């Protein structure tokens, strides 16, 4: 889009975004009646702006009240958990004996220490452990040290030296100051006018010395100024300083705390020393009034005010503020840097200036007051997120170990791209789930929050997680972008990080790895060498083959016969375009297997196709856990090759212990061979990863049933139905469990109300309840058919019911049909409580022997 197209679209966007949501649709229709393309672009911008609101809302909490040595750009917890004391405490580093943690942030951990050589307290700042070895972080850290060490001024924190410990970690030794920050003082209310002016003069003096050396602080705020007991203001933390002659990695990064940002800083533009003067103006305004000049319950609103609105004059909040002092604040808060006070020296350090106001407190009128914040907010978030703007808040003490990734928003605005966005969501979850130190909730459980109004803490409590990732996916041609935000969820929502990652479609696996690595870094998990190697070595994909693979996944996730058949078509197209793409073979295997399990006519054909696809997937990529899991289920259900099923299910778990497919295959194997305690343990692990999705929760109920733990099965299956009242599979297993527990009325109610009446199940239920005459009548009237023509799966169910009625010859004839037809249900023969009526017959033992069932 060129500039001539953008300008009219921008004007339309500003008009539309200023309207209530219910009026926007009508505006879109009227304004773009002759240009559907422009209408689509405008709708997409409005949708993206709505997505930006959530991001900016989290930024509003970034302005924190910190202790003198806490960095409000980062975390304030200690680098280790409460149960794991910091290893540096009581240790000596050079001549410094470390005594306690004072605070920590995104770029450093600060300790109080004692300098044994000069017998004085000092503050030592180290790179956090997770940053050790990160060249970019070390470069940034050293620039901070050089910037601060270059200053020798009474209003700037004194730096004693820069050094390294025995393990090669860089540290800065700084003077340790008693006292409190301006932020702590302001928590008690506005300061006396003379005191506020005195602190402003001291801060300006320190800044003047820094600016004279081409050093910009870029993060002046009350939390970064400490006042000693003698009333001396010291500017702390030149960690955001930029030396004019040093090029930093990532210089496009927008840094600072939102409420104190200058207009140019908030919009991601180049800044110079005048950005510090703006921030000083905000601090002075706050010291005089107790309020920041630009306020709002969302950071987007604050940024809009910074860029476009005039603040209230300090005298409107505190009438005794002198006009001359108000004029000076106005000069500092001029939005145009060219109209702002030119330097810190321009503040008359002897008395308040008498210059006329520079217009900072004039109020806009007309259309300027009506313009929405959304466009500048959207542009700001695109700049900030696109550059990897990291916004950190205080960490809770406990580590983040359990994580949920909510469904990604579709920022394309095109419903036809849902398959792609869902694919990106599933791939990101799968990537994170392979990190050994993290437990990541499966896709099925988080899908229920696609359009939820629940808060992040509510979602976290329901899923049992510590943190939640929200994000969005955008695609234009072969360019893919994922934006993500990380929130600590409990005890209260805290925004920890946001980032944006972009790649072409061929490198989409690299994209997923980068996002997963960034999230792992933020939650401070330790990557195993295998994790790090996998994340660093993702290969390329054939874009066309990957497209079809994602479309196949989209249809497969519908869990219907039609969906499985459509999925097979897309997986085959993916294979045709790239015969070496293993994931397409693996998913083809699952789809054929699922159809074969329920097929009334051709399970053997579908099983053969499924097995060939699984074996091909393993041959192409032996590290693909899902391929081994599919192979395990096929060897178990159709081939009755128990050793091969055992090996494949174990290998799937070894490759990815957080794969729900791997856990499912292992739990089923253990249950069907009678290793019930192990099966329950594995199924419970699957439920931990899938806490609110019905499929895995029903698996646990079925495992309890096969273990004859009917009370636990009933309890578990009722939990499933409390979440999904119409989930048929849970009703089936609950019906079985009630019947075997002797709760015949409850079993009959399940069958009548939720399942199809007049089936072999009803015959079995009546016979089990001792109502043989009714069972035989139903058998004669509506169930019985040509037994010789029954499909294998039907033969098994019919045999169960006939066995309960004492019709053993007919029952074993049907079991023989199921055996010859390779019915998957025959694999459960050894442990199935439903077939107990036939166990004492020698023909039953003969079947077990022929199937080579393990003892």
């Amino acid at each position: 889009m060129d500039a001539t197209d953008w300008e009219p679209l921008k004007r339309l966007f500003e008009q539309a975004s200023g309207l209530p949501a219910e009026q926007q649709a009508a505006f879109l229709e009227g304004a773009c009646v002759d240009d559907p393309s422009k209408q689509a672009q405008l709708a997409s911008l409005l949708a993206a702006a709505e997505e930006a609101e959530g991001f900016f809302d989290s930024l509003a909490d970034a302005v924190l009240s910190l202790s003198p040595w806490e960095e409000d750009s980062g975390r304030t917890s200690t680098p280790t958990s409460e149960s794991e004391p910091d290893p540096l405490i009581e240790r000596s580093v050079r001549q410094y004996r470390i005594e306690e943690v004072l605070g920590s942030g995104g770029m450093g951990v600060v300790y109080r220490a004692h300098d044994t050589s000069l017998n004085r307290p000092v503050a030592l700042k180290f790179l956090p452990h997770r940053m050790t070895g990160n060249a970019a972080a070390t470069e940034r850290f050293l620039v901070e040290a050089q910037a601060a060490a270059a200053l020798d001024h009474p209003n700037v924190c004194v730096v004693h030296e820069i050094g390294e410990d025995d393990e090669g970690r860089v540290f800065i030794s700084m003077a340790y100051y008693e006292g409190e920050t301006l932020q702590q003082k302001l928590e008690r209310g506005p300061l006396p006018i003379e005191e506020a002016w005195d602190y402003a003069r001291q801060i300006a003096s320190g800044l003047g010395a820094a600016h004279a050396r081409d050093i910009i602080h870029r993060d002046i705020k009350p939390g970064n100024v400490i006042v000693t007991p003698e009333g001396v203001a010291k500017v702390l933390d030149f960690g955001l300083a930029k030396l004019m002659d040093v090029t930093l990695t990532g210089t496009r990064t927008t840094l600072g705390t939102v409420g104190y940002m200058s207009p140019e800083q908030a919009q991601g533009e180049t800044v110079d020393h005048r950005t510090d003067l703006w921030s000083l103006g905000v601090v002075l305004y706050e010291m005089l009034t107790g309020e920041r000049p630009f306020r709002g319950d969302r950071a987007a609103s604050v940024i809009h005010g910074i860029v476009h609105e005039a603040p209230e004059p300090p005298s409107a909040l505190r009438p005794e503020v002198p006009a001359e002092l108000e004029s000076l604040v106005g000069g500092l808060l001029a939005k145009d840097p060219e109209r702002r006070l030119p330097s810190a020296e321009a503040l008359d350090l002897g008395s308040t200036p008498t210059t006329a106001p520079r217009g900072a407190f004039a109020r806009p009128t007309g259309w300027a007051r009506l313009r929405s914040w959304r466009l500048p907010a959207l542009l700001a978030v695109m700049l900030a997120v696109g550059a990897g703007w990291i916004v950190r808040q205080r960490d809770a003490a406990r580590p983040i170990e359990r994580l949920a990734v909510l469904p990604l928003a579709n920022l394309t605005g095109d419903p036809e791209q849902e398959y792609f966005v869902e694919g990106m969501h599933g791939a990101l979850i799968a990537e994170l789930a392979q990190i050994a130190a993290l437990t990541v909730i499966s896709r099925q459980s988080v899908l229920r929050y696609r359009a939820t109004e629940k808060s992040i803490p509510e979602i976290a409590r329901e899923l049992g997680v510590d943190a939640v990732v929200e994000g969005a996916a955008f695609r234009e041609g072969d360019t893919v972008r994922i934006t993500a935000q990380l929130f600590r969820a409990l005890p209260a929502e805290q925004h920890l990080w946001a980032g944006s990652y972009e790649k072409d479609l061929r490198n989409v696996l690299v994209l997923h790895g980068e996002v997963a690595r960034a999230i792992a870094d933020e939650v401070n998990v330790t990557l195993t060498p295998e994790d790090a190697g996998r994340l660093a070595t993702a290969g390329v994909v054939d874009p066309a083959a990957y497209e079809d693979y994602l479309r196949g996944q989209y249809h497969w996730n519908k869990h219907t016969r039609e969906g499985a058949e459509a999925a097979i078509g897309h997986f085959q197209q993916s294979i045709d375009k790239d015969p070496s793409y293993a994931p397409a073979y693996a998913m083809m295997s699952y789809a054929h297997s699922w159809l074969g399990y329920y097929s009334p006519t051709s399970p053997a054909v579908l099983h053969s196709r499924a097995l060939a696809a699984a074996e091909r997937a393993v041959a192409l990529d032996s590290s693909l856990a899902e391929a081994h899991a599919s192979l395990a289920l096929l060897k178990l259900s159709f081939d009755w090759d128990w050793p091969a099923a055992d090996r494949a299910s174990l290998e799937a778990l070894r490759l990815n212990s957080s794969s729900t497919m791997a856990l499912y295959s292992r739990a089923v194997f253990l249950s069907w061979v009678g290793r019930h305690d192990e099966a329950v343990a594995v199924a419970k692990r699957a439920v931990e990863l899938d806490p609110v999705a019905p499929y895995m929760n029903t698996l646990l109920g079925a495992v309890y049933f096969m273990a004859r733990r009917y009370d636990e099965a009933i309890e578990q299956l009722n939990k499933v139905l409390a979440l999904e009242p119409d989930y048929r599979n849970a009703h089936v297993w609950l019906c079985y469990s009630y019947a075997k527990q002797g709760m015949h009325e409850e079993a009959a109610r399940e069958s009548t109300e939720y399942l199809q009446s007049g089936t072999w199940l009803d015959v079995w239920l009546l016979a089990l309840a001792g109502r043989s005459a009714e069972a035989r009548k139903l058998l004669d009237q509506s169930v019985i058919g040509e037994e010789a023509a029954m499909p294998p799966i039907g033969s098994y169910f019919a045999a169960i019911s006939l066995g309960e009625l004492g019709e053993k010859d007919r029952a074993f004839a049907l079991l023989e049909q199921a055996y010859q037809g390779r019915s998957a249900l025959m694999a459960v023969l050894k442990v199935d409580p439903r077939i107990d009526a036939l166990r004492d017959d020698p023909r039953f033992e003969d079947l077990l022997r022929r199937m080579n069932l393990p003892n």
Side-chain angles (χ1 to χ4, degrees):
M1 180 185 299
D2 61 28
T4 58
D5 291 327
W6 168 244
E7 284 303 320
L9 185 62
K10 174 182 173 182
R11 288 193 296 272
L12 286 173
F13 177 86
E14 291 184 340
Q15 294 176 53
S17 59
L19 296 173
E22 61 270 18
Q23 297 178 21
Q24 287 181 359
F27 178 89
L28 280 173
E29 184 176 352
C32 307
V33 66
D34 297 322
D35 193 342
S37 174
K38 183 178 292 184
Q39 186 180 66
Q41 291 171 333
L42 186 55
S44 179
L45 269 178
L46 290 167
E50 289 300 320
E51 291 297 325
E53 285 187 12
F55 177 76
F56 278 117
D57 287 347
S58 65
L59 287 182
D61 296 328
V63 181
L64 306 173
S65 301
L66 301 174
S67 71
W69 291 103
E70 290 172 343
E71 301 174 40
D72 81 25
S73 62
R75 300 185 173 95
T76 59
S77 64
T78 61
T80 54
S81 66
E82 290 180 350
S83 60
E84 183 182 355
D86 191 297
L88 290 180
I89 302 299
E90 301 300 328
R91 177 180 162 185
S92 291
V93 175
R94 302 261 293 275
Q95 74 268 31
Y96 305 108
R97 187 178 67 251
I98 297 175
E99 298 176 343
E100 68 174 318
V101 176
L102 295 172
S104 65
M107 288 303 300
V109 183
V110 183
Y111 299 85
R112 189 182 69 185
H114 186 74
D115 184 338
T116 57
S117 296
L118 298 176
N119 191 28
R120 63 183 177 185
V122 295
L124 294 184
K125 181 173 181 179
F126 286 80
L127 274 178
H129 296 296
R130 67 184 179 87
M131 290 285 193
T132 301
N134 183 316
T138 303
E139 181 184 28
R140 167 91 176 277
F141 188 77
L142 290 173
V143 168
E144 170 192 11
Q146 293 162 4
L151 300 175
D152 182 12
H153 191 277
N155 297 117
V156 174
C157 172
V158 173
V159 173
H160 298 314
E161 70 162 329
I162 306 168
E164 288 186 18
D165 68 2
D166 294 337
E167 297 177 17
R169 287 175 297 189
V170 182
F171 66 86
I172 302 174
S173 171
M174 301 172 283
Y176 174 76
Y177 301 105
E178 298 287 350
E180 61 181 348
T181 62
L182 282 181
Q183 180 65 54
Q184 291 169 315
K185 285 180 172 291
L186 286 169
E187 289 171 359
R188 299 190 291 270
L191 304 183
I193 290 174
E194 295 78 12
E195 185 178 349
W197 171 236
D198 181 51
Y199 294 148
R201 290 191 307 156
Q202 294 188 58
I203 296 168
S205 182
L207 288 175
H211 295 167
R213 293 179 176 267
D214 287 336
I215 300 168
I216 312 167
H217 191 286
R218 304 211 308 179
D219 199 25
I220 294 297
K221 56 196 168 192
N224 272 342
V225 178
I226 190 171
V227 179
T228 70
E230 294 77 27
V232 178
K234 302 275 188 180
V235 179
L236 305 173
D237 193 4
F238 272 81
L240 301 181
K242 176 186 175 185
L243 292 178
M244 295 298 188
D245 60 346
V246 175
T247 300
L248 287 174
T249 302
T251 53
R252 290 179 58 211
T253 303
T254 304
L255 299 166
T257 306
V258 62
Y260 301 87
M261 286 181 175
S262 65
E264 60 270 27
Q265 191 176 13
Q267 295 179 97
E269 298 173 358
T270 302
V271 300
D272 59 19
H273 65 279
R274 290 171 294 187
T275 196
D276 286 346
L277 300 179
W278 168 282
S279 300
L280 176 57
V282 177
V283 172
L284 179 52
Y285 186 107
E286 190 174 6
M287 288 192 293
L288 292 171
T289 67
E291 300 279 354
R292 291 194 299 275
F294 304 99
R295 302 180 291 279
D297 55 1
R298 296 180 300 184
S301 303
V302 176
I303 289 177
H304 179 256
I306 290 171
V307 175
H308 290 289
E309 295 179 352
E312 287 185 285
S315 59
L317 301 174
R318 189 176 183 182
E320 64 266 33
V321 173
E324 295 83 2
L325 191 52
E326 187 169 276
S327 297
L328 183 140
V329 177
L332 291 169
L333 294 180
K335 296 187 187 297
D336 182 354
E338 296 299 325
R339 300 182 62 214
R340 202 173 298 156
L341 287 179
S343 66
E345 289 77 12
L347 278 77
D348 184 340
L349 300 183
S351 61
T352 56
T354 57
T355 55
R358 294 172 178 252
F361 301 123
R363 293 189 173 277
T365 59
W367 171 246
R369 292 191 64 185
L370 294 175
R371 288 203 309 177
S372 167
W373 59 267
R374 286 188 172 89
L375 182 60
L378 178 61
L379 294 176
V381 77
M382 287 178 175
L383 286 166
V385 174
W389 183 11
I390 296 187
V391 180
R392 304 176 187 272
Q393 292 178 268
R394 298 187 180 195
D395 270 352
R398 67 185 175 88
I400 292 173
E401 297 174 340
R402 290 175 59 83
L403 186 71
V405 182
L406 299 185
L408 300 178
N410 179 1
L411 286 190
T412 65
D414 181 2
E416 294 297 319
Q417 291 293 315
E418 278 300 322
Y419 79 93
F420 186 83
V421 176
E422 284 196 13
M424 295 299 97
H425 179 231
L428 180 55
I429 289 175
E431 196 71 44
L432 284 164
Q434 293 189 68
I435 296 175
L438 272 181
T439 295
V440 183
I441 302 303
S442 77
R443 182 179 176 277
Q444 282 296 110
S445 278
V446 298
L447 282 181
R448 67 175 49 240
Y449 302 103
R450 186 192 304 275
T452 186
E453 295 182 359
K454 293 181 178 179
S455 68
I456 283 177
E458 286 177 307
I459 295 171
R461 279 188 285 270
E462 290 179 8
L463 295 176
V465 298
D466 310 307
V468 170
V469 174
E470 282 188 330
F474 178 81
R475 180 190 179 187
E476 187 173 18
D478 280 345
T479 299
V480 182
R481 184 184 308 119
I482 291 179
T483 62
Q485 304 176 68
L486 176 67
F487 297 86
R488 180 179 285 280
L490 299 172
E493 179 182 328
Q494 294 178 311
H495 189 283
L496 301 180
W497 165 86
S500 180
Y501 299 82
E502 183 176 298
K503 288 284 186 291
D504 61 84
L505 192 56
R506 290 182 60 83
N507 290 293
V508 70
L509 302 183
V510 178
L511 174 69
H512 299 145
E514 288 182 355
V515 179
R517 179 62 181 261
I519 293 171
D521 284 347
E522 292 307 313
V523 300
N524 288 329
V525 299
T526 301
L527 297 177
T528 66
E530 292 79 10
D531 291 337
R534 178 179 49 76
L535 290 172
T537 57
V540 299
V541 296
D542 180 289
Y546 190 67
E547 283 269 8
D548 277 307
Y549 172 74
L550 291 183
R551 290 183 187 275
Q553 283 274 32
Y554 179 74
H555 287 288
W556 167 249
N557 289 332
K558 295 177 181 178
H559 301 296
T560 64
R561 177 181 296 277
E562 295 78 11
E565 290 170 346
I568 287 172
H570 286 293
F571 292 141
Q572 185 60 56
Q573 291 176 44
S574 177
I575 290 167
D576 291 343
K577 291 167 182 171
D578 182 1
S580 66
Y581 191 48
Y585 286 100
M587 294 310 302
M588 173 84 85
S589 173
Y590 279 104
H592 276 308
S593 178
W594 188 88
L595 287 176
Y597 186 86
Y598 291 104
S599 172
T601 57
S602 56
V605 172
L606 292 167
H607 158 253
S608 177
R609 293 173 182 170
L611 183 61
E615 289 176 338
R616 181 60 177 159
V618 170
L620 287 169
D621 185 356
S622 62
S623 68
L624 195 60
E626 288 72 22
H628 289 279
S630 181
L631 190 61
L633 288 172
L634 291 164
K635 291 294 183 182
L636 175 68
S637 299
F638 294 98
D639 286 357
W640 308 329
D641 186 343
W642 317 104
D646 190 11
R647 290 192 300 271
S649 61
L650 278 174
E651 180 65 5
L653 271 185
R654 185 192 69 80
L655 289 168
N656 188 354
S657 61
S658 293
S659 165
T660 53
M661 291 180 178
L663 289 163
Y664 180 88
S665 70
R666 188 62 183 168
V668 170
F669 170 80
L670 293 169
S671 176
W672 288 9
V673 300
R675 293 161 62 179
H676 297 301
D677 289 344
E678 294 174 76
V680 167
V682 174
K684 283 184 174 179
R685 169 61 177 162
V687 169
E688 287 180 11
L689 297 173
D690 233 339
V692 297
Y695 193 68
M696 287 299 174
N697 281 270
T698 299
L699 167 68
L700 178 57
V703 167
Y704 278 134
F705 176 83
M706 293 299 175
R708 301 172 188 270
R709 294 162 62 171
Y710 303 125
D711 284 340
E712 290 166 281
I714 291 168
E715 180 182 2
Q716 174 64 23
L717 294 163
N718 275 313
K719 287 180 182 177
V720 176
L721 294 170
L723 293 170
E724 293 284 347
D726 297 324
Y727 191 64
R728 188 179 188 278
N729 208 27
H731 285 292
V732 170
W733 287 106
L734 184 58
C735 182
Y736 293 149
S737 302
Y738 278 142
K740 292 299 291 184
Q741 190 67 349
M743 301 170 68
H744 300 298
E745 290 183 9
E746 289 84 352
R749 185 184 68 244
E750 286 293 316
S751 177
T752 302
E753 294 184 10
Y754 299 104
L755 306 174
Q756 183 179 353
S757 297
T759 64
W760 286 105
L761 172 61
D762 292 295
V763 175
W764 180 73
L765 291 174
L766 289 168
L768 197 66
R771 298 160 63 181
S772 299
E774 295 173 70
R776 289 182 183 279
K777 183 178 179 181
L778 178 61
L779 183 69
D780 295 338
Q781 287 179 346
S782 59
V783 174
I784 194 67
E786 287 292 330
E787 293 177 13
M790 283 185 182
I793 190 170
S795 298
Y796 186 87
F797 283 120
I800 287 173
S801 301
L802 288 168
E804 202 63 48
L805 282 172
E807 300 273 354
K808 291 191 176 182
D809 290 342
R810 291 169 69 188
F812 277 105
L814 287 167
L815 283 180
E816 186 65 28
Q817 285 181 208
Y819 173 80
Q820 296 297 333
R822 311 297 290 186
S823 170
L825 287 172
M826 288 295 289
V828 78
L829 192 68
K830 175 182 177 180
V831 298
D832 192 351
R834 297 168 295 182
I835 207 163
D836 284 351
L838 299 175
R839 289 187 182 280
D840 59 355
D841 192 292
R843 288 172 287 185
F844 189 85
E845 290 297 324
D846 181 60
L847 277 172
L848 295 182
R849 178 185 55 77
R850 283 190 283 156
M851 293 177 65
N852 294 314
L853 275 159
N855 296 323

